[in-house]
Amino acid sequence: MKIAVRLLLGLGGLLLVIWLWGVFFPGPEKIIRKRLRELEALVSFPANQPPLANLTAVQQICARVTPDVEIRVDVRGVGRGQLQGRDHLREALLGFRSTVNGAKVELLDVGVRLAPDKQSAEVSLTAKARTPRDPDTQFQELKIIMRHQGGHWLVAQVETVKTLR
Amino acid sequence: MNNDRQPKHAWPPWLKSLVIGRHPRRTLWRIGGLVVVCFVTFRFVLLPVRVEGESMWPTYRNHRINFINRLAYLRHEPRRGDVVGIRLAGWRVMFMKRIVGLPGETVAFHGGRLYINRQLVPEPYVRTPCNWELPPEQLGPDEYFVVGDNRGMAVQDHWLGATSRARIMGKVLL
């Protein structure tokens, strides 16, 4: 009985150490997931948000992308579009926020595939978006390329995926 | 003497029997078994889904609960007319659509009617007339053409098209 208790305690201790290690020294995948959760919160905004708060959120989003970020969109019913660079992204986000009064965005089914050199990663996810002007929830599959630059994981490329061709 | 040893706030025997049964250890095992069975069933076999949107109206209405049977295509491949769940990046969000075109076939819509390999195919599940026009599309050896039942929607508002076999998660159960 004593051996069993000691074994259980040892196993519990080992699990605790592994958990603490993960908390204090997170791996790239965990950091990327955290980054995406931050982006999810920043992209969402409540109705009637003051312009200054909008500007702050947009600046924070832009700080999480590479200077040469590339965004390629091809959505049925919306059309094709392409953005390149932080400045264009900032303009597009501010324009979007001025025309749409509030949006709730969730990033679901996040899958992270690290490159062998661990300096870039390909993320696949489903974005779920809801805006007050559209009664239906919109879903879009996305592919995101993230790069490790200056000690941070930044979004380098965003591309819509055609689930149905 | 025995009565003195009993705790003051002991449960009445009938309540104990009702809540945890006569043999608590067996009850615990049963609960554990039930949890494992439910987890395996609803995580790997029958995926619970909630319909969002009207694209499958009138067959499936908005906000209805259903299940995707992941074992449906173990013995045979998907068939025309099957309503299936199509995964996006993962299994938490799926499109619910009806298979109308099978691998290698040519699918087209003229005047709102479905044509497979230039032959008109009746669709008894469609209740709303439409005037969809889609040019013929040749499906690859691993592709299925899926579309919703609600043809009253404008074609540009409707998710339809070819999907690979790997994206088909299973058949809608109910």
Side-chain angles (χ1 to χ4, degrees):
Chain A
M1 192 67 184
K2 267 185 181 176
I3 294 169
V5 171
R6 278 178 191 168
L7 257 171
L8 275 175
L9 280 172
L11 193 71
L14 188 71
L15 287 173
L16 186 71
V17 168
I18 292 169
W19 179 73
L20 283 173
W21 184 269
V23 169
F24 290 110
F25 307 102
E29 189 180 330
K30 211 167 181 180
I31 296 170
I32 288 169
R33 285 177 187 275
K34 192 182 167 200
R35 255 300 122 127
L36 290 168
R37 278 197 300 273
E38 289 167 7
L39 272 173
E40 184 183 64
L42 286 168
V43 172
S44 301
F45 60 101
N48 303 319
Q49 178 153 288
L52 195 63
N54 271 337
L55 190 66
T56 310
V58 168
Q59 294 287 18
Q60 286 178 332
I61 292 168
C62 289
R64 286 163 170 79
V65 302
T66 58
D68 61 342
V69 64
E70 194 180 345
I71 296 168
R72 285 200 293 258
V73 178
D74 186 2
V75 180
R76 194 180 182 83
V78 177
R80 285 182 185 186
Q82 190 168 343
L83 278 174
Q84 193 142 21
R86 262 185 196 155
D87 294 337
H88 280 147
L89 177 67
R90 188 179 294 116
E91 281 170 29
L93 285 173
L94 286 172
F96 177 74
R97 283 179 181 239
S98 62
T99 52
V100 177
N101 190 20
K104 171 84 181 138
V105 177
E106 287 176 70
L107 304 179
L108 307 168
D109 290 326
V110 177
V112 180
R113 208 167 52 194
L114 274 172
D117 62 356
K118 296 194 174 177
Q119 292 302 302
S120 68
E122 186 182 306
V123 180
S124 64
L125 57 87
T126 303
K128 177 183 175 184
R130 206 177 173 94
T131 56
R133 71 177 180 186
D134 194 348
D136 291 332
T137 309
Q138 301 297 322
F139 297 98
Q140 180 60 54
E141 197 176 342
L142 297 174
K143 189 176 93 176
I144 299 174
I145 304 291
M146 297 194 75
R147 284 209 195 98
H148 196 225
Q149 279 184 6
H152 297 289
W153 281 96
L154 303 175
V155 175
Q157 194 182 318
V158 181
E159 196 180 336
T160 54
V161 175
K162 280 193 164 184
T163 309
L164 302 177
R165 180 173 59 84
Chain B
M1 283 296 277
N2 281 342
N3 287 342
D4 293 341
R5 283 179 188 174
Q6 276 186 351
K8 281 181 183 175
H9 301 293
W11 289 14
W14 65 268
L15 186 62
K16 190 181 167 186
S17 176
L18 191 76
V19 176
I20 54 175
R22 288 180 188 170
H23 307 285
R25 197 172 285 181
R26 267 190 228 166
T27 306
L28 205 64
W29 276 108
R30 281 183 193 139
I31 291 170
L34 196 66
V35 168
V36 170
V37 167
C38 284
F39 176 77
V40 171
T41 304
F42 296 118
R43 177 70 179 80
F44 299 105
V45 183
L46 294 175
L47 303 180
V49 289
R50 194 182 69 187
V51 179
E52 277 197 33
E54 300 284 355
S55 75
M56 281 302 289
W57 184 88
T59 316
Y60 298 104
R61 289 167 197 276
N62 201 4
H63 303 310
R64 287 278 299 272
I65 301 291
N66 213 316
F67 296 91
I68 303 291
N69 179 9
R70 295 208 67 194
L71 305 180
Y73 299 124
L74 280 183
R75 291 190 177 182
H76 62 85
E77 288 300 297
R79 294 169 179 157
R80 195 186 326 278
D82 287 355
V83 179
V84 295
I86 297 154
R87 71 164 179 81
L88 280 80
W91 60 272
R92 282 185 65 189
V93 179
M94 282 185 266
F95 286 144
M96 187 189 272
K97 299 286 170 194
R98 191 181 293 276
I99 293 175
V100 294
L102 301 175
E105 292 180 338
T106 302
V107 182
F109 280 90
H110 296 302
R113 292 181 171 190
L114 171 68
Y115 288 82
I116 303 289
N117 298 334
R118 296 184 180 178
Q119 298 286 313
L120 179 67
V121 175
E123 293 185 282
Y125 40 81
V126 175
R127 301 287 163 83
T128 44
C130 75
N131 55 358
W132 287 9
E133 289 291 337
L134 287 174
E137 189 175 335
Q138 171 83 44
L139 298 174
D142 186 40
E143 287 184 327
Y144 292 81
F145 196 96
V146 294
V147 61
D149 289 354
N150 186 359
R151 309 290 165 80
M153 298 170 76
V155 70
Q156 62 268 21
D157 294 337
H158 200 99
W159 286 92
L160 78 165
T163 188
S164 65
R165 172 69 181 86
R167 282 190 178 271
I168 297 176
M169 295 287 281
K171 189 177 175 182
V172 173
L173 187 72
L174 305 171

